[in-house]
Amino acid sequence: MDSIIELKDINKIYGKRVKTQVLNNINLSIDKGSFNSIIGASGSGKTTLLNIIGMLDRPTSGQVELEGRRIDKMSRRVLADIRNREVGFVFQFHHLLPEFNAIENVIMPRSIRDIFCGRKTSEKAKELLELVGLPKVKKNKVYDLSGGEQQRVAIARALMNSPKIILADEPTGNLDSKTSEVIYNIFRDINKELGTTFIIITHDERIAKKTDRIIEIEDGVIKF
Ligand SMILES: Nc1ncnc2c1ncn2[C@@H]1O[C@H](COP(=O)(O)OP(=O)(O)O)[C@@H](O)[C@H]1O
Ligand SMILES: [Mg+2]
């Protein structure tokens, strides 16, 4: 199978005077269209690893490839553009803009690229809100939505630019188990219907067990 992400000999060291090695010689290949989870104790390096995959952070050494392109070598500007077009992020705290309504939040990644986004864009935002099961609250301000609904808006936003890969950092860490299940099922449907690759950091064992591949990290090393 083709890979979408290739990590080769990744090391990450934080700090200049006092150095802390957080990732230790990570080698990892993620198949295109696959549905993966990352598990591991708090502080083991999960977020650091996901941020390097998502180009939010750079490794101290090693290679990162996105569909064969060496992203660790690219300039910040080029990276920001690739990130915006090809990667969707979902975080534990949704980082939505509470004063804006659901549609406006979903459109946000597109309006960063194109301030004159038109009707087609808002049509797509509406479709995405329907896809995540929120046909009724499109015009509601985000602060009027429940935690689960807000997270679904964040998922719709992550899908706005039709990314190839979605990176989720404890997306259900803040939600009850029933809502977590709903979010997981939405991810699964998107994966099946659109072929989007997923990497989901989770503490929820039941969710991890339902992914195709569990990547376990311990003290900055991947366990095989
Ligand atoms: N910006 C940073 N500067 C220094 N240390 C950091 C930074 N970010 C994370 N760390 C440290 O790196 C380790 C791994 O953190 P992280 O990747 O967030 O782990 P996890 O997501 O598995 O809980 C932790 O010990 C954390 O304190
Ligand atoms: Mg983390």
Side-chain angles (χ1 to χ4, degrees):
M1 207 183 202
D2 277 355
S3 67
I4 183 161
I5 299 284
E6 287 281 350
L7 301 181
K8 289 177 192 154
D9 302 326
I10 295 293
N11 290 285
K12 180 68 183 180
I13 298 166
Y14 283 121
K16 289 233 162 72
R17 250 163 28 89
V18 182
K19 295 187 194 308
T20 319
Q21 178 135 13
V22 174
L23 295 178
N24 218 313
N25 223 41
I26 300 268
N27 285 282
L28 180 65
S29 169
I30 302 288
D31 289 340
K32 222 173 253 182
S34 61
F35 196 76
N36 310 274
S37 57
I38 299 180
I39 62 168
S42 177
S44 57
K46 303 182 296 295
T47 295
T48 304
L49 181 64
L50 204 74
N51 288 349
I52 288 173
I53 293 172
M55 305 169 246
L56 294 171
D57 197 2
R58 288 185 195 268
T60 308
S61 64
Q63 299 181 14
V64 186
E65 289 181 8
L66 175 64
E67 291 191 311
R69 291 162 294 172
R70 279 287 296 275
I71 57 180
D72 53 291
K73 293 276 191 209
M74 290 176 181
S75 73
R76 278 179 142 191
R77 242 183 105 125
V78 174
L79 274 188
D81 190 57
I82 293 180
R83 198 190 304 125
N84 181 259
R85 285 171 196 272
E86 301 185 28
V87 186
F89 293 93
V90 181
F91 301 99
Q92 178 174 1
F93 301 101
H94 49 73
H95 303 297
L96 298 170
L97 301 171
E99 299 291 329
F100 290 80
N101 72 30
I103 292 182
E104 289 162 340
N105 269 280
V106 174
I107 287 174
M108 210 59 75
R110 180 62 61 91
S111 48
I112 288 170
R113 242 165 66 188
D114 174 13
I115 48 169
F116 301 108
C117 48
R119 237 184 90 178
K120 246 173 129 183
T121 305
S122 53
E123 283 306 313
K124 176 156 184 186
K126 283 181 196 161
E127 278 167 27
L128 289 172
L129 284 168
E130 276 159 32
L131 181 76
V132 298
L134 294 178
K136 296 212 178 99
V137 302
K138 291 175 197 140
K139 296 266 166 83
N140 291 32
K141 295 264 197 279
V142 160
Y143 56 64
D144 286 330
L145 304 179
S146 71
E149 286 170 337
Q150 291 177 343
Q151 197 57 304
R152 283 191 264 175
V153 174
I155 295 167
R157 179 186 54 182
L159 287 168
M160 188 62 210
N161 287 339
S162 308
K164 295 173 178 162
I165 184 162
I166 289 197
L167 305 175
D169 194 348
E170 301 191 36
T172 60
N174 230 7
L175 304 172
D176 60 74
S177 58
K178 217 176 126 201
T179 314
S180 300
E181 185 84 20
V182 171
I183 299 290
Y184 163 81
N185 287 330
I186 292 170
F187 283 163
R188 245 316 177 195
D189 289 346
I190 294 163
N191 169 250
K192 283 203 189 113
E193 280 171 33
L194 306 176
T196 313
T197 306
F198 277 80
I199 306 179
I200 306 163
I201 296 179
T202 184
H203 279 301
D204 191 333
E205 215 173 281
R206 284 170 313 161
I207 285 187
K209 275 191 182 139
K210 290 199 274 191
T211 60
D212 300 334
R213 178 183 179 191
I214 298 178
I215 298 157
E216 188 174 359
I217 180 164
E218 192 179 278
D219 295 330
V221 177
I222 290 178
K223 287 173 78 175
F224 285 102

